[in-house]
Amino acid sequence: QVQLVESGGGSVQAGGSLRLSCAASGLSYRWGCMGWFRQAPGKEREGVATISSGGLTTYADSVKGRFTVSKDNAKNTLYLEMNSLKPEDTAMYYCAADRLIPLGWCSLRGTDFGYWGQGTQVTVSS
């Protein structure tokens, strides 16, 4: 059974940093795409950052230059390094993955991802 388990969320002041991790298990193959999505109360889910099996990354404009997505294939773990955090980054952050190998970059559309974690809360105070 495929499982994606996020960790690393928490509360931080504006300008601070957090590192999220997503451990994937139950796989016998490499993911095509993995990524991070977030949803704040009363708002729609939005794509934050994705990474392809070839290492190509895609970022939402709102996090470019502040967030970095990476993965460790040997550990089947996805990371999101978040710096210069802002109160508007407050949300539940979800790890997602899909088996389909992309031709290039992975999208930021949640509908393109078939597997999801339970989420980890990130709260940024001003």
Side-chain angles (χ1 to χ4, degrees):
Q1 182 178 356
V2 173
Q3 277 193 317
L4 300 174
V5 180
E6 303 96 334
S7 61
S11 296
V12 64
Q13 288 191 328
S17 299
L18 283 174
R19 188 193 196 203
L20 305 184
S21 298
C22 172
S25 61
L27 301 171
S28 60
Y29 44 80
R30 182 178 294 183
W31 292 114
C33 289
M34 296 189 78
W36 293 95
F37 293 76
R38 67 186 181 187
Q39 187 167 20
K43 295 188 176 181
E44 293 188 353
R45 182 182 62 193
E46 62 173 341
V48 175
T50 58
I51 186 167
S52 72
S53 56
L56 298 176
T57 57
T58 306
Y59 293 95
D61 288 342
S62 59
V63 306
K64 282 180 181 177
R66 300 188 298 122
F67 290 11
T68 302
V69 62
S70 62
K71 60 188 176 75
D72 185 330
N73 290 330
K75 296 181 179 180
N76 262 337
T77 301
L78 179 74
Y79 302 99
L80 184 68
E81 187 76 36
M82 304 186 294
N83 298 313
S84 302
L85 282 161
K86 303 175 181 180
E88 51 263 44
D89 294 319
T90 295
M92 184 71 79
Y93 283 71
Y94 297 92
C95 171
D98 199 79
R99 293 180 291 176
L100 185 63
I101 305 295
L103 294 177
W105 286 264
C106 298
S107 80
L108 291 172
R109 293 187 300 269
T111 51
D112 288 344
F113 290 78
Y115 298 91
W116 292 83
Q118 293 300 306
T120 185
Q121 178 68 37
V122 171
T123 302
V124 184
S125 58
S126 57

